Amino acid sequence: MKNKSGLTPLGQAVLVEPYEPQLKSQVIEIPISARERMTQAEQRAVVIEVGPEAWKDEKKPRAQAGDKVMVSAYAGMLTTGPLDGRQYRVINCRDIFLRIVDEAV
């Protein structure tokens, strides 16, 4: 996965992009403003890039670019990629606590 955001995480930072899992059926349309607020608390994210100091004290990294993960609620800060205008979160590497292996579609 190539980082097209224009942002590079430093130290123990991890750049993630929040995502919403696919719903089996969409019955209710959620307004964009409400979806943006939900994204702030959303715990699912795709790892975009990992800082060079992330997980140095662990035997193997918890995640790598392209992995779907769960992160601590409200971890890090929201930012917008200057090149692509998409919304990202910059979190501490310790805020990733599990990898999503499979999801029901």
Side-chain angles (χ1 to χ4, degrees), residues 19 44-45 47 55 60-71 96-103:
Y19 78 95
R44 294 171 190 260
V47 176
W55 307 296
K60 71 182 227 182
R62 295 183 188 191
Q64 59 187 3
D67 285 350
K68 290 181 178 180
V69 296
M70 295 289 282
V71 300
I96 293 177
F97 58 91
L98 65 87
R99 184 177 301 121
I100 299 170
V101 179
D102 197 7
E103 292 180 294

Side-chain angles (χ1 to χ4, degrees), residues 5 33 45-47 53 58 67 72 79 81 86 90 100 103:
S5 68
S33 60
V46 176
V47 176
E53 300 293 318
E58 296 184 18
D67 285 350
S72 301
T79 187
R86 296 176 74 149
V90 181
I100 299 170
E103 292 180 294

Side-chain angles (χ1 to χ4, degrees), residues 25-69:
S25 66
Q26 296 183 351
V27 178
I28 299 172
E29 175 99 16
I30 300 173
I32 291 174
S33 60
R35 292 175 90 188
E36 288 174 352
R37 285 190 298 271
M38 287 170 44
T39 300
Q40 293 175 0
E42 179 59 62
Q43 296 176 337
R44 294 171 190 260
V46 176
V47 176
I48 303 301
E49 189 173 346
V50 177
E53 300 293 318
W55 307 296
K56 274 206 157 186
D57 59 340
E58 296 184 18
K59 291 184 181 180
K60 71 182 227 182
R62 295 183 188 191
Q64 59 187 3
D67 285 350
K68 290 181 178 180
V69 296

